[in-house]
Structures are given as C-alpha cells and as structure tokens.
Amino acid sequence: MSQSNEKVAVTPATHPAPPARFSHGVRKGNILQVAGQVGFLPAVEGQPPTPAGPGLRAQTLQTLENVRSVLEAGGATWDDVMMLRVYLTDTGHFAELNEIYDAYFDEHLKEAPPARTTVYVGLPAGLLVEIDALAVLG
C-alpha cells in the first residue's frame, strides 16, 4: 500500500460488510485507524456474521485476530499500534480480559505495548468485547 495523503478504506476479505456506512479501517498517509472489531468468525458469503464461541476467551482472541487482519491489510503490524481501545459488556470480565490480552501480546509484540483504554458498553446480543486500534506506520 502506497503512502499517499489520500484517505483509503481498508477491508480484509475475511470481514463481513459493516452494518452501516463505515470502513473496517481507514489509512491516510502513515496513519491507520482500525474501526471497532468484534469476535465474528471469518465471513461466509450468504450467511450472517457468527460470533466465535460464547465465552470471553474465544471472542477476545477472534477480535484481536480481526484487528490484526485490518492492520495487515493496511500495511501495519501490532508494533505500529499506538493505542487500543477495548469495550467490554461486563465489568466482571476485566481480569480475564487482561490475562488473555497479556498472553496474546507476549507472543505478538516485539516492541513496547500500545497504550490502552477499557470502557464498558452495550453491544449487540451475544457479543462480549469490541476493540479498535490506531497505528502509525514508519
């Protein structure tokens, strides 16, 4: 992907179409914003989006992989991420999320971890976590 100042939508082939008029990611120059991703399994044409397992672990790991897919499609890696925002539906999931998060990034980061904010929100039925990311390339 070239580094122009044109704003370009980033949509991995594995992602279902967004439910409204937004992009899974947008890159302009060396900035890549990944929209909030949830734990949907890779898209299957003609089928509605399906969340990964009912539990927080499966959904968090799939959500992180969905964020990673957008990062890669936009020319970025986890080491380019400056900020992650995590949205949880249940305050009781905070400790478990941190365990999953720490283990995941122990494997996927070579540089300092990104900054992070966690907030509590309502998500569509069956979804427990949403994550967005801001990356700066080069």
Side-chain angles (χ1 to χ4, degrees):
M1 178 168 279
S2 68
Q3 185 177 341
S4 77
N5 283 326
E6 179 184 353
K7 186 169 82 169
V8 178
V10 177
T11 304
T14 56
H15 284 48
R21 192 165 196 262
F22 65 86
S23 301
H24 285 289
V26 175
R27 180 165 174 184
K28 185 170 183 178
N30 68 338
I31 304 291
L32 173 62
Q33 176 65 57
V34 178
Q37 301 294 304
V38 294
F40 286 141
L41 296 169
V44 175
E45 193 169 335
Q47 294 183 12
T50 305
L56 183 67
R57 174 171 294 281
Q59 284 195 26
T60 300
L61 292 174
Q62 185 64 52
T63 299
L64 288 165
E65 285 304 301
N66 292 344
V67 172
R68 184 190 56 76
S69 293
V70 179
L71 289 169
E72 287 182 356
T77 70
W78 283 118
D79 286 314
D80 296 311
V81 174
M82 302 298 292
M83 179 68 179
L84 284 173
R85 284 170 291 270
V86 177
Y87 308 91
L88 288 173
T89 60
D90 185 340
T91 58
H93 287 159
F94 188 72
E96 181 182 1
L97 170 84
N98 283 339
E99 290 174 16
I100 298 162
Y101 181 95
D102 287 350
Y104 182 89
F105 283 113
D106 280 348
E107 289 184 35
H108 291 88
L109 282 175
K110 295 180 183 98
E111 298 178 8
R116 185 183 109 186
T117 296
T118 303
V119 297
Y120 301 96
V121 299
L123 291 173
L127 295 174
L128 303 174
V129 61
E130 181 173 349
I131 299 173
D132 71 55
L134 175 65
V136 178
L137 290 77

